Amino acid sequence: MAFTRTELLAFQDALVPDLLGPGLRLLFVGINPGLWSAATGSHFARPGNRFYPALAAAGITDHLIRAGEGMAEEDRDHLISRGVGITNIVPRATARADELGPDELRAGARRLEEMIEALGPRVVAVAGISAYRVGFGRPKAQLGRQPERMGGAELWAVPNPSGLNAHHNVASLAAVYRQAALAAGITPAEPR
């Protein structure tokens, strides 16, 4: 599946439904959906995004999820059955995360805290240290487990899986994501 730039721009400010289910243990939080994610209705869907390859490499999933054309129902069910959920700090889609202002990130962090209190995951992993620092008012935060909790959940700042993040590859993303998953009580999946 391929989209033209004009087709993608039609999804500016669209929303992507959260992926949530019963037994939520690990909630991954993106910065906000990209236009490709909005077009497909799937989080982290842009080709080249390393989120799902990192989940598979970390043993969080037992196979590589391919969300570039929309997530298959069996893949959605697999994530939910593993206790994994996905949401965003800011729910609206943009072409680039830097289109979001500090006020929008802070408002999104407050909304997220309310969501976490209601859902009760064990671990919340925010994927994007810069957005975490701004949204959560922690300008000196480092990657990894944070000293504070959110809504009763252990809070982690993990690397953004975007292909634009040159500081990390699938293996380094998987290592951090695996730590958060183990803290959430998610044991490595058996490959299919």
Side-chain angles (χ1 to χ4, degrees), residues 38-164:
T40 62
S42 299
H43 297 274
F44 300 107
R46 183 165 188 78
N49 191 296
R50 298 164 300 178
F51 182 72
Y52 297 107
L55 291 187
I60 296 170
T61 59
D62 65 8
H63 66 282
L64 177 59
I65 292 173
R66 300 183 190 281
E69 296 185 15
M71 187 176 291
E73 195 62 35
E74 72 177 28
D75 289 335
R76 184 178 310 278
D77 292 346
H78 178 62
L79 286 167
I80 290 170
S81 74
R82 300 280 298 145
V84 176
I86 307 172
T87 190
N88 291 287
I89 297 173
V90 175
R92 73 179 185 92
T94 61
R96 296 176 49 98
D98 62 9
E99 294 176 39
L100 305 173
D103 290 342
E104 196 169 9
L105 289 169
R106 284 190 288 271
R110 287 189 299 273
R111 179 193 65 82
L112 182 63
E113 187 164 9
E114 292 170 8
M115 174 191 287
I116 291 164
E117 287 175 4
L119 296 173
R122 290 184 192 173
V123 172
V124 174
V126 180
I129 189 68
S130 296
Y132 175 81
R133 288 173 177 156
V134 172
F136 295 86
R138 304 281 188 252
K140 297 184 189 270
Q142 299 297 310
L143 290 171
R145 190 169 55 117
Q146 302 303 300
E148 64 275 353
R149 294 177 78 81
M150 177 177 271
E154 196 172 291
L155 187 58
W156 287 63
V158 299
N160 188 318
S162 166
L164 298 174

